[in-house]
Structure formats: structure tokens, C-alpha cells
């Protein structure tokens, strides 16, 4: 009997976007390999297993080779096409790269197992998609274009259709509506898909996040309007800021005129596997099982929310979170309504935080924001206010051509000036180094060590930190105040005996116990907080232990504050101090130099962006009070000066 039903294709995102949204991308390769053969049997259209933040995190936190991860997955997933998320000219990084790097990366990724490339640009700038799409087509792989979906006065249905037509003209094989924040309503899904189906002649796929609670319904309306595929995650890795659960969508469409066939028993095994794994891999990052209706205002993607909170905590301004979220909407409008997806989500979010913590809008402008305003990321969806352009760029001019046209080929001389060229083993290493120089070299150095001499990965140290927290106190009274992406302050061997110490400390009566080792302080403070945050006298004897980690630099900063220098320039935020704009480049200023008001005197790296700090007045630099690469705290004196 002939089956006249329309087949629905489902892409599983568990192994990429699922854990990126819920676990800060902390899934290990071994976690994937233990279950990939079962996932391969489900009957999915494709498996999203690579790209996005996974490349960076593999190197930075997990001490894994992302290329090897891809090869291993491919060796076990023999039936289902593998898919990656490619950021167009940004590749898997946070800036535009040269065409030769984009082309070679695509070729190498395909050779190692990627069958489908989902290619997007944060600004929907077609110029940033051209090279990547052509490179994918040259390999013979499937090129899926994207519309980065957002809500603004300039993002109309008509505009999305025109963007889709341009991508179709470049030869894409399918089109994804990439709703990274869960903003796509059921009615807009129906309207947009209907318009796309009418105007383009390639399959349409839906990608959304469950953050606002609308994704399931948006999928339902979109499929009935003509979309033939959508993204899901296994239920134990779904919901919240991840994708909708596959089991729910399977049940919704199973009793319709659409053909949907999945191995339900395999789904049950997969769900159980990740449910059991989740408590270990999500430690310290948790998530709240609620619908975030505020997403419709600030539009911050799920994957960014936890980092946004961490940024404010690092600056000692977590109480300003509501204000910062409101500021995001204002900054986004100022910058021409860019969709909030990597890297524009980081650009807009960080500028909003800067505005809030300094108390003055655009007093500090990160270099990445300047680059965005200049046009180095592409064309803003709406014009940027001319007054703001002048304030941020000064006498610099905006560009109106393709940003990558100004980038010289990167591969020929990529490793020319390396101090340790022997650490580079192959072309894959060269590609990794071009994308993430510092991070890759740290990994290469770690890899070069004998296995028994390698320090544990930052991600493993995270796990060990939380393993010492008593069960009854996890995520409540005992917390480690260190950002998830911070460099570990303790070596693995330092954790020996820590559990016993914490167990004994929990039974002690004390106000504060401080342990110092090198550049590390561990303070155990007794507390009297109840679960509702209100102190009660009768609870004063209960020791709710709080573990706080802080660099000794903070103490040094306090000592420096007490110096006899009459005039100092102080750090306007917490961050890492740099005297020069980059490795091997000359310092902005030297001791004894005279600087004018507004001259750049240093860089403070904070919240993953580089912030140029300007002299607040004309002065002579008497002494630089901090070392290059040193962490500084807000208001810490960084230079002693004489006003001129």
C-alpha cells in the first residue's frame, strides 16, 4: 500500500546544542561514544555533533582534540549523516577569518566526517556566507543556509524572504530558520514558513529553543505550513534553554497525516543514559525548570544567560542583573538591531554590562564593539546612530565592503614565528592554532606531556570541586565563587584531603578559616542563612559553609591602594591587565611617558572581550603598578601619575 504521508525529518541536537545550552558544552568524547551507536539507530535525519562552541571548549576546558572527536563519532555512527554548525566567515571562532582558512577548514571537516554544514551569519550578511557556502558545495557536502531569526522593526517577513533568495542563489541545498532564543511564535512560524515555501524551492527546517515555551507550537504550525524538518533533543537534555524534546514532538505528529518513524525503545535508552549522566556533567551550572518570558524583551539566547550572570558576578554586580537585561535591549537598538547569536550576543551583552557597571553608557567600549560599529563583522541590519558612531570611532571611518576582503591569507605563515613549532603535528593543528592561538598552544603543551604527568583538565577540576560539596548543601549553602570558564587556581594534587577538611569544617564552630597556598586563598566562613535567605537567631549555631576562591591579587590591590602616590589611575572594572594590544606588539605607554586625555594606556580583558582603557586626563606616567597579564579588581590602582 502506498504511503501518501509527508515524511518529517528530525535533526537531533543532543550532542551539540543540547549540552551547549544546558551543560556549558561540557560533554566529553567518551560520553558520546558510549551512546552514539544507539543514537545512530533511532532513525534521525541527521545528528548535530560538532561546531558551535564545542571546538573551543574541547581545547580550552576538556583538553580534547576536536578533530579526533569527530573522527571517533564518524567511526561509530554509520547510518546517520553528521552535521555541524558553522559560523560563516567566523568559522567556529568569534571574528572574521581569511578565506583560505574558511575553505581549508570546511574541506578538512568534511574529510573527517561532516556531511551537512549548517552555515549562518549573526547579521544575515550574505557577504559573510559566500565563501563558506561555496567551499561546502565544492566538497560535495550538503550546504544548509540559515536565517538568524530575531524580532525588531527592521526584521520583517519580506526581509527574511529576500535573504533566503540570496542564499538560494549561492546554491544552498536547504534553509534553516535559526531561532536561537525561542522568539518564534506559532503565528510567525506559520507566516514565515508559508512565505518561504512560496518564494524559494528548497527544503525548510526549523530550529528553536524552548526558553519561551513556544517552540513546540511553532514547530507544529511551521510543519503544517510546509517545513519538512525540525531540531529536537532527547528529553533529559531538552527543554529550558535547549531544544524541545523529541519524544513530545514524536507523540504530537504520530497521529497526524505526517510520516514520523523513530525507534522508541532506543529513545528510552538514550533518555535514561543522559538522565544518569547529567548530575555529573552539569555541576555548578544548573538551570531552573521555568519558562523565561523575559526572553521576549532582552532576547538573550539560552546559551548566553549563564555566562551573562557570571560576567556580573565577576564584576561584583550581580544585583544589577535586571538592569543589565534591560540595557541589552537598549544597546541592541543602538547598534542597529543585530540578532543575538554568536558573536553579536557577546558584543551586545558585554557592552550592556559595561554600561551598567560604570554607570555611564559607552564610557568603556570594548574593541569588539568598535570593530562591529566600524563594519568589521558585517553590515548592521539597521543604520547605527551617527552620534554613537562618532563617539565610538572618533575619526575612524566605517567600511562598506566585505570585511574578509581586508584579511590576508592566514595559512602560509600561520606558524612562522612559533617558539615551539614541534608542538604542531599536522594541518589540523595549524587550523586549530589559527582559530584559537593561545588556547590551542595550551592544549598542545598539555598534549606533549607524558600521560602520567599531565595535569587534570579544567573541566575535571570543576567536577572535583563540586564532588566535595555535601549532598544536602549542593546548589544551596556551599558554593565555589569561581566562573565556570576561569583558569583553575589549584592544581589537582591540591585537592587531596579537601573532602575530609570540608567534612570536619562543617562540624566546627568558627567564624572564618583561611588557607593560603601560593597565589590562592581558601576561606571557610560560618553562616546563619536560612533557605529563604532570612537570618534567624535560633539558626546561628548552624554552620552553613561557604567556600570562596579568590586570587591573592585582591589583597595586593588593597595594599597598593594604600600607597603614597598622590594621583593614580584605577581599574574601572575587574579583569586582566595588558600593557600592549597583543603578543609581541609594543606597549601603549612606558613609565615616564606623557599622555593626553583619551589616549589608550592599557587593555583590560573582561567578559571575553578586550577593553581599551583611556587616560581620564593629561598626565605623566610615574609608575605602572601591576604586571602584564595580572588580574586586577575594580578600583585597583594600575598606574601612578602626575597630572599635567
Amino acid at each position: 500500500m502506498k504511503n501518501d504521508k509527508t515524511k518529517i525529518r528530525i535533526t537531533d541536537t543532543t550532542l551539540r546544542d543540547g549540552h551547549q545550552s544546558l551543560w556549558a558544552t561540557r560533554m566529553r568524547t567518551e560520553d558520546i561514544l558510549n551512546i552514539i551507536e544507539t543514537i545512530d539507530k533511532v532513525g534521525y535525519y541527521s545528528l548535530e555533533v560538532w561546531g558551535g562552541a564545542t571546538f573551543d571548549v574541547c581545547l580550552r576546558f576538556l583538553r580534547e582534540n576536536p578533530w579526533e572527536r569527530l573522527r571517533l563519532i564518524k567511526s561509530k555512527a554509520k547510518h546517520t549523516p553528521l552535521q555541524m554548525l558553522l559560523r560563516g566567515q567566523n568559522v567556529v571562532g568569534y571574528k572574521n577569518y581569511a578565506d583560505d582558512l574558511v575553505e581549508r577548514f570546511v574541506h578538512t571537516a568534511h574529510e573527517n566526517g561532516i556531511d551537512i554544514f549548517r552555515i549562518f551569519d549573526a547579521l544575515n550578511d550574505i557577504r559573510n556566507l559566500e565563501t563558506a557556502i561555496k567551499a561546502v558545495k565544492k566538497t560535495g557536502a550538503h550546504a544548509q543556509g540559515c536565517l538568524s531569526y530575531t524580532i525588531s522593526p527592521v526584521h520583517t517577513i519580506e526581509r527574511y524572504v529576500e535573504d533566503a533568495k540570496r542564499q538560494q542563489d549561492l546554491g544552498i541545498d536547504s534553509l534553516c530558520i535559526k531561532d536561537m532564543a525561542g522568539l518564534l511564535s506559532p503565528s510567525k512560524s506559520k507566516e514565515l514558513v508559508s512565505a518561504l515555501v512560496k518564494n524559494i524551492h528548497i527544503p525548510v527546517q526549523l530550529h528553536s529553543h524552548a526558553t519561551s515555551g513556544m517552540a513546540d507550537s511553532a514547530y507544529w504550525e511551521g510543519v503544517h505550513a510546509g517545513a519538512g524538518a525540525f531540531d529536537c533533543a532527547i528529553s533529559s537534555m531538552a527543554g529550558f534553554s535547549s531544544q524541545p524534546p523529541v519524544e513530545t514532538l514524536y507523540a504530537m505528529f504520530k497521529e497526524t497525516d505526517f510520516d514520523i518513524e523513530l525507534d522508541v525503545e532506543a529513545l528510552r535508552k538514550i533518555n535514561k543514559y543522559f538522565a544518569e549522566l547529567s548530575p555529573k556533567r552539569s555541576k555548578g551550572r544548573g538551570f531552573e525548570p521555568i519558562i523565561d518570558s523575559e526572553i521576549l524583551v532582552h532576547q538573550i539566547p539560552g546559551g548566553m544567560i549563564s555566562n551573562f550572570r557570571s560576567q556580573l558576578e565577576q564584576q561584583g554586580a550581580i544585583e544589577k542583573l535586571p538592569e543589565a537585561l534591560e540595557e541589552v535591549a537598549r544597546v541592541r537598538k543602538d547598534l542597529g538591531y543585530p540578532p543575538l547569536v554568536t558573536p553579536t550576543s557577546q558584543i551586545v551583552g558585554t557592552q550592556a554590562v559595561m554600561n551598567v557597571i560604570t554607570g555611564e553608557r559607552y564610557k568603556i567600549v570594548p574593541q569588539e564593539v568598535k570593530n562591529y560599529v566600524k563594519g568589521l563583522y558585517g553590515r548592521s541590519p539597521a543604520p547605527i546612530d551617527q552620534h554613537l558612531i562618532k563617539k565610538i570611532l572618533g575619526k575612524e571611518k566605517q567600511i562598506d565592503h566585505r570585511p574578509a576582503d581586508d584579511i590576508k591569507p592566514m595559512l602560509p605563515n600561520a606558524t612562522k614565528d612559533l617558539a615551539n613549532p614541534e608542538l604542531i603535528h599536522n594541518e589540523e593543528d595549524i587550523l586549530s592554532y589559527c582559530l584559537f592561538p593561545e588556547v590551542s598552544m595550551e592544549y598542545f603543551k598539555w598534549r606533549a606531556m607524558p600521560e602520567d604527568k599531565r595535569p587534570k583538565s579544567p573541566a575535571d577540576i570543576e567536577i572535583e570541586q563540586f564532588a566535595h560539596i555535601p549532598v544536602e548543601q549542593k546548589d544551596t549553602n556551599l558554593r565555589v565563587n569561581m566562573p565556570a570558564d576561569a583558569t583553575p587556581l589549584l592544581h589537582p594534587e591540591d585537592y587531596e584531603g579537601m573532602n575530609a577538611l570540608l567534612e570536619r569544617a562543617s562540624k566546627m564552630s568558627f567564624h572564618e578559616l583561611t588557607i593560603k597556598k601560593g597565589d590562592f586563598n581558601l576561606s571557610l566562613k560560618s553562616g546563619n542563612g536560612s533557605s529563604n535567605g532570612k537570618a534567624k537567631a535560633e539558626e546561628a549555631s548552624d554552620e552553613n559553609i561557604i567556600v570562596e576562591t579568590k586570587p591573592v591579587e585582591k589583597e595586593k590591590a588593597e595594599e597598593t591602594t594604600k600607597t603614597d602616590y598622590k594621583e593614580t589611575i584605577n581599574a574601572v572594572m575587574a579583569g586582566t591587565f595588558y600593557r600592549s594590544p597583543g603578543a609581541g606588539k609594543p606597549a601603549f605607554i612606558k613609565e615616564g611617558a606623557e599622555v593626553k586625555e583619551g589616549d589608550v594606556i592599557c587593555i583590560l580583558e573582561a567578559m571575553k572581550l578586550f577593553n581599551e582603557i583611556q587616560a581620564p586626563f593629561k598626565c605623566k606616567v610615574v609608575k605602572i603598578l601591576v604586571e602584564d597579564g595580572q588580574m586586577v579588581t575594580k578600583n585597583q590602582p594600575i598606574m601612578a601619575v602626575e597630572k599635567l
Side-chain angles (χ1 to χ4, degrees):
M1 184 177 174
K2 184 179 179 181
N3 186 356
D4 294 326
K5 292 185 175 182
T6 302
K7 186 174 180 62
I8 298 176
R9 296 170 287 122
I10 298 177
T11 294
D12 176 72
T13 64
T14 304
L15 305 180
R16 204 287 298 175
D17 205 0
H19 73 102
Q20 181 170 324
S21 297
L22 300 181
W23 295 359
T25 328
R26 293 305 197 267
M27 190 178 293
R28 278 64 163 177
T29 298
E30 65 176 319
D31 300 336
I32 298 172
L33 298 181
N34 288 337
I35 195 65
I36 187 64
E37 290 176 313
T38 304
I39 297 175
D40 190 37
K41 297 175 182 177
V42 169
Y44 289 122
Y45 166 66
S46 64
L47 306 177
E48 189 185 61
V49 301
W50 214 58
T54 60
F55 199 99
D56 180 9
V57 173
C58 270
L59 296 166
R60 189 188 301 268
F61 294 109
L62 306 180
R63 295 291 188 258
E64 292 185 0
N65 185 339
W67 300 100
E68 181 66 14
R69 168 182 287 196
L70 177 55
R71 283 191 292 271
L72 290 170
I73 295 173
K74 190 66 176 180
S75 70
K76 290 181 174 290
K78 300 185 182 297
H79 306 288
T80 316
L82 300 186
Q83 180 172 315
M84 76 162 292
L85 182 67
L86 187 73
R87 298 169 180 160
Q89 208 72 32
N90 299 157
V91 194
V92 290
Y94 309 105
K95 64 180 183 180
N96 280 347
Y97 297 93
D99 288 338
D100 67 327
L101 178 63
V102 177
E103 293 164 354
R104 199 62 197 168
F105 183 94
V106 167
H107 174 82
T108 309
H110 178 59
E111 279 192 329
N112 281 280
I114 295 299
D115 304 293
I116 301 172
F117 291 80
R118 178 175 289 173
I119 312 162
F120 80 95
D121 178 65
L123 300 174
N124 292 319
D125 190 333
I126 191 70
R127 302 172 302 172
N128 293 335
L129 298 171
E130 291 176 6
T131 300
I133 291 173
K134 290 177 180 178
V136 172
K137 295 297 292 183
K138 188 176 180 179
T139 68
H142 182 108
Q144 183 177 84
C146 284
L147 299 174
S148 295
Y149 183 79
T150 189
I151 301 172
S152 85
V154 299
H155 287 90
T156 62
I157 297 295
E158 293 75 20
R159 181 167 185 158
Y160 284 127
V161 169
E162 289 306 309
D163 288 342
K165 287 180 177 179
R166 292 188 185 98
Q167 292 188 41
Q168 181 177 253
D169 291 341
L170 287 176
I172 60 172
D173 300 291
S174 62
L175 180 76
C176 175
I177 300 172
K178 181 175 172 57
D179 175 27
M180 54 279 178
L183 303 175
L184 187 66
S185 69
S187 60
K188 283 297 181 183
S189 178
K190 180 180 180 180
E191 185 180 0
L192 178 55
V193 171
S194 296
L196 290 171
V197 170
K198 183 179 179 181
N199 286 278
I200 62 175
H201 311 290
I202 52 177
V204 176
Q205 183 158 350
L206 293 166
H207 169 91
S208 188
H209 288 249
T211 319
S212 68
M214 297 192 294
D216 298 46
S217 299
Y219 282 6
W220 178 268
E221 293 294 339
V223 168
H224 282 84
F230 52 73
D231 292 2
C232 289
I234 198 69
S235 57
S236 51
M237 294 292 293
F240 317 117
S241 55
S242 179
Q243 277 68 61
V246 62
E247 297 94 328
T248 300
L249 272 298
Y250 173 83
M252 288 171 60
F253 283 101
K254 184 64 178 174
E255 298 179 353
T256 68
D257 292 332
F258 294 94
D259 182 16
I260 181 169
E261 293 295 334
L262 299 176
D263 187 331
V264 177
E265 188 57 35
L267 291 176
R268 293 180 64 190
K269 293 178 181 178
I270 298 163
N271 182 54
K272 183 175 184 293
Y273 174 80
F274 286 108
E276 294 174 349
L277 183 63
S278 183
K280 182 179 182 181
R281 293 294 183 247
S282 64
K283 287 191 182 294
R285 275 171 293 277
F287 46 85
E288 296 182 2
I290 58 173
I291 299 298
D292 181 12
S293 60
E294 291 297 309
I295 190 77
L296 300 173
V297 178
H298 57 68
Q299 300 193 30
I300 295 177
M304 184 185 169
I305 285 291
S306 58
N307 184 55
F308 201 71
R309 180 182 293 273
S310 176
Q311 291 175 358
L312 288 167
E313 288 175 342
Q314 291 177 56
Q315 300 299 327
I318 189 60
E319 76 282 355
K320 295 183 180 291
L321 178 61
E323 183 182 351
L325 290 175
E326 292 180 2
E327 180 64 7
V328 165
R330 289 190 287 268
V331 171
R332 181 170 173 262
K333 180 181 179 181
D334 293 344
L335 298 182
Y337 297 106
L340 295 184
V341 64
T342 302
T344 53
S345 55
Q346 288 84 351
I347 290 170
V348 172
T350 300
Q351 185 63 70
V353 170
M354 296 296 183
N355 292 352
V356 168
I357 66 174
T358 61
E360 180 181 337
R361 305 189 78 227
Y362 304 102
K363 179 180 180 178
I364 296 177
V365 180
Q367 184 61 47
E368 288 80 357
V369 176
K370 293 181 180 178
N371 290 344
Y372 171 87
V373 174
K374 190 173 181 178
L376 299 184
Y377 284 93
R379 188 180 292 114
S380 61
I384 303 171
D385 182 81
Q386 287 297 317
H387 295 290
L388 184 60
I389 294 173
K390 187 176 181 180
K391 181 173 183 175
I392 291 176
L393 295 184
K395 296 181 180 179
E396 289 190 70
K397 301 294 184 182
Q398 288 181 299
I399 69 168
D400 196 36
H401 54 267
R402 190 179 78 109
D405 288 343
D406 295 334
I407 307 174
K408 296 179 180 179
M410 299 176 68
L411 296 178
N413 299 309
T415 58
K416 181 180 178 182
D417 299 321
L418 275 184
N420 307 104
E422 72 279 359
L423 296 175
I424 303 290
H425 293 172
N426 49 41
E427 186 181 49
E428 294 168 2
D429 286 352
I430 295 174
L431 292 170
S432 298
Y433 176 76
C434 287
L435 291 164
F436 303 104
E438 294 83 4
V439 172
S440 294
M441 288 306 298
E442 284 298 313
Y443 167 72
F444 297 154
K445 291 175 183 177
W446 177 90
R447 182 181 63 183
M449 299 178 185
E451 288 192 25
D452 61 339
K453 301 294 184 182
R454 293 172 180 169
K456 291 187 178 180
S457 71
D460 284 334
I461 292 175
E462 287 178 344
I463 290 177
E464 290 193 0
Q465 287 176 326
F466 288 93
H468 298 300
I469 302 174
V471 175
E472 67 274 11
Q473 294 181 345
K474 286 183 179 179
D475 299 320
T476 55
N477 298 322
L478 186 66
R479 64 184 186 273
V480 178
N481 291 333
M482 187 175 76
D485 59 352
T487 301
L489 299 173
L490 290 179
H491 295 290
E493 58 267 22
D494 295 323
Y495 289 92
E496 295 179 5
M498 199 72 97
N499 193 37
L501 171 64
L502 291 175
E503 289 179 358
R504 293 183 65 182
S506 66
K507 302 174 183 178
M508 296 166 58
S509 296
F510 63 88
H511 174 66
E512 180 174 358
L513 172 66
T514 300
I515 302 170
K516 295 184 179 181
K517 180 175 180 177
D519 292 339
F520 181 80
N521 276 3
L522 175 65
S523 296
L524 303 180
K525 298 180 181 180
S526 63
N528 60 358
S530 63
S531 59
N532 62 8
K534 298 179 180 179
K536 298 180 180 180
E538 63 267 24
E539 295 179 333
S541 62
D542 295 334
E543 271 68 43
N544 298 326
I545 308 299
I546 300 175
V547 179
E548 298 180 332
T549 62
K550 59 180 182 180
V552 166
E553 279 83 353
K554 185 173 182 179
E555 294 184 354
K556 293 179 181 177
E558 294 170 352
E559 294 173 3
T560 307
T561 306
K562 302 174 183 178
T563 61
D564 295 328
Y565 294 113
K566 294 181 179 180
E567 196 76 47
T568 60
I569 296 176
N570 301 339
V572 294
M573 71 187 80
T576 305
F577 173 88
Y578 292 107
R579 296 183 60 177
S580 67
K585 296 183 178 180
F588 290 108
I589 56 159
K590 297 180 179 179
E591 292 180 353
E594 294 185 1
V595 296
K596 302 188 295 292
E597 180 181 350
D599 284 353
V600 177
I601 56 175
C602 69
I603 282 176
L604 287 180
E605 183 186 6
M607 296 169 285
K608 299 183 180 181
L609 298 186
F610 291 86
N611 308 285
E612 292 184 347
I613 306 303
Q614 299 175 340
F617 41 73
K618 187 178 181 181
C619 60
K620 178 181 179 180
V621 179
V622 177
K623 187 176 180 60
I624 298 173
L625 302 175
V626 293
E627 299 294 327
D628 196 50
Q630 181 181 324
M631 288 289 299
V632 298
T633 58
K634 187 178 181 181
N635 296 322
Q636 176 179 344
I638 56 177
M639 294 181 188
V641 299
E642 292 179 358
K643 280 190 175 181
L644 298 176

